Amino acid sequence: MTSHVTPDSALRGVGGDGDQDGPRHSPHTAAAPTPPAAAPSSPASPKKRRIRYNRTESRWGYAFVAPALILFAIMGVYTIGYGLALSFARWNGFSPNWEWVGFQNFTDLLFGSKTYAPRVQAAALNTLWVCIAVPVLTIAVSFPLAIILNSAKRFQGILRSVYFVPYVTTGIAVYLAWQYILEPNGAINGLLRVLGLGSLTQPQGFLGNPDTALPTLIIVLVWSAVPVAMLLYLTGLQSLDTSVFEAATLDGAGWWRTNTSIVWPLLRATTGIVFLLNLRDALQGFQIFLIMTNGGPGNHTNVLGLETYRLAFLSELSPTLGLASALGWMLFLAALAIALINQRLEKRAQ
């Protein structure tokens, strides 16, 4: 008996039992390969987006800062460089060319010129007196005043405002008012006559007498500097721990002992700040001397800042702009040296 085997059954027999459940392929067709799956189109990674965002933000930041940087470059860097170059030249401000003289401007101001060196030396001596007297007297007045104001129980805000009025008032108006008070027929001479102290009056006025002109201006400077110093001391007093005062009271320390042995050492940093601020103003300021005395009488109130202004703007067509720039740079170096010395002393004290 003949058996007929179909092609499918033959394939199944060749494949064995393990292939019976597998896929069936035609012997005349090849299995088609499975195409790879297409990669999904994904957006930019978060890192790239962050970099792009940071660059955009940086560009906007530079765009907003650019006007200030340009203004600083023109008014700051260019002006400083121009002034430094001018200190080594002789120029009157109108001639088309400079005359380069090197360090001769500095030597002429210090000892070389018979015209300018004596004036600079006298102005330096007056500046030295101002730099010593103004910071010391300001501290001596503002520290006790701050202690008294801090102990006030009532009207502390009103008193603080009253003491702060000299600082917020326009400087020119204050200086003109003081000039009127200090005149020969001013309020101070009139008050002295009323009190029977006519021997202390000044017929030339306190600003017209060479012996009293500079001390009077120092007093006015101290009067205008006390408000800020007092406010700094008052802030320092209010930041101190109250337990320190309680411990001092329990130990039997009185008012004087507490303020001299406890409060004063604790406010040493504030004292350094007050001293440095007033020293800077005394070294570089000249407005009060220009408005009230213009350096007179007889250059007895001439200071280095005022001498710099005179050399720059009050010498007509004399070639003194280089001298003024050189004197300004010497003042800058002196202020920088004082700041460095003060910083070194503060570090040693700590």
Side-chain angles (χ1 to χ4, degrees):
M1 184 174 183
T2 304
S3 62
H4 298 281
V5 180
T6 62
D8 291 341
S9 61
L11 290 175
R12 282 196 299 272
V14 173
D17 297 335
D19 294 335
Q20 292 180 2
D21 296 332
R24 298 179 181 179
H25 299 281
S26 171
H28 302 289
T29 59
T34 304
S41 58
S42 60
S45 62
K47 186 176 181 181
K48 292 182 178 180
R49 288 201 306 269
R50 192 180 302 110
I51 292 175
R52 190 180 298 112
Y53 174 76
N54 290 337
R55 289 178 179 176
T56 305
E57 188 178 14
S58 299
R59 292 192 187 99
W60 278 109
Y62 287 129
F64 281 111
V65 175
L69 292 177
I70 295 173
L71 183 63
F72 174 75
I74 296 175
M75 303 300 295
V77 178
Y78 174 76
T79 305
I80 294 173
Y82 189 88
L84 181 61
L86 185 60
S87 64
F88 297 100
R90 182 180 290 114
W91 189 44
N92 62 359
F94 295 95
S95 59
N97 299 319
W98 294 2
E99 180 184 355
W100 295 98
V101 295
F103 289 94
Q104 184 178 350
N105 287 333
F106 296 90
T107 57
D108 287 344
L109 291 172
L110 294 175
F111 52 83
S113 175
K114 295 182 179 179
T115 303
Y116 301 111
R119 289 167 50 182
V120 172
Q121 292 170 4
L125 182 60
N126 294 334
T127 305
L128 180 62
W129 284 113
V130 174
C131 289
I132 294 174
V134 171
V136 172
L137 292 177
T138 301
I139 293 172
V141 174
S142 59
F143 179 70
L145 193 61
I147 292 177
I148 295 173
L149 186 60
N150 187 52
S151 61
K153 303 300 182 181
R154 296 181 179 179
F155 307 110
Q156 189 181 58
I158 297 176
L159 293 175
R160 188 187 308 175
S161 302
V162 170
Y163 286 127
F164 204 71
V165 166
Y167 182 77
V168 299
T169 307
T170 306
I172 296 177
V174 171
Y175 299 151
L176 292 177
W178 273 105
Q179 189 178 22
Y180 176 76
I181 293 173
L182 296 168
E183 286 181 350
N185 296 323
I188 295 182
N189 277 339
L191 181 62
L192 292 175
R193 294 189 186 98
V194 170
L195 297 176
L197 301 175
S199 60
L200 299 179
T201 59
Q202 300 294 326
Q204 299 174 339
F206 287 88
L207 298 178
N209 188 346
D211 296 330
T212 60
L214 187 61
T216 302
L217 291 180
I218 289 175
I219 293 174
V220 176
L221 283 172
V222 172
W223 176 83
S224 60
V226 162
V228 175
M230 181 205 64
L231 188 62
L232 291 174
Y233 275 122
L234 186 61
T235 304
L237 287 171
Q238 294 177 350
S239 64
L240 295 178
D241 192 358
T242 56
S243 61
V244 176
F245 301 98
E246 295 174 358
T249 304
L250 293 175
D251 290 339
W255 182 87
W256 178 262
R257 185 71 174 178
T258 301
N259 291 306
T260 56
S261 300
I262 299 176
V263 177
W264 175 256
L266 291 175
L267 296 181
R268 184 180 301 171
T270 304
T271 302
I273 294 173
V274 172
F275 185 86
L276 186 61
L277 290 176
N278 286 277
L279 184 61
R280 181 204 63 184
D281 294 339
L283 184 64
Q284 297 180 340
F286 67 94
Q287 296 88 346
I288 182 174
F289 301 94
L290 175 65
I291 295 172
M292 295 185 67
T293 62
N294 196 21
N299 288 329
H300 281 81
T301 59
N302 189 27
V303 292
L304 290 176
L306 180 58
E307 183 63 24
T308 305
Y309 175 80
R310 285 178 166 182
L311 290 173
F313 303 106
L314 300 181
S315 297
E316 297 180 353
L317 295 179
S318 299
T320 57
L321 279 177
L323 293 171
S325 181
L327 186 55
W329 275 99
M330 286 192 289
L331 283 174
F332 167 75
L333 293 177
L336 181 62
I338 292 172
L340 293 177
I341 293 173
N342 182 77
Q343 185 179 10
R344 182 65 60 86
L345 294 176
E346 289 292 333
K347 288 183 178 180
R348 289 184 178 181
Q350 293 176 358

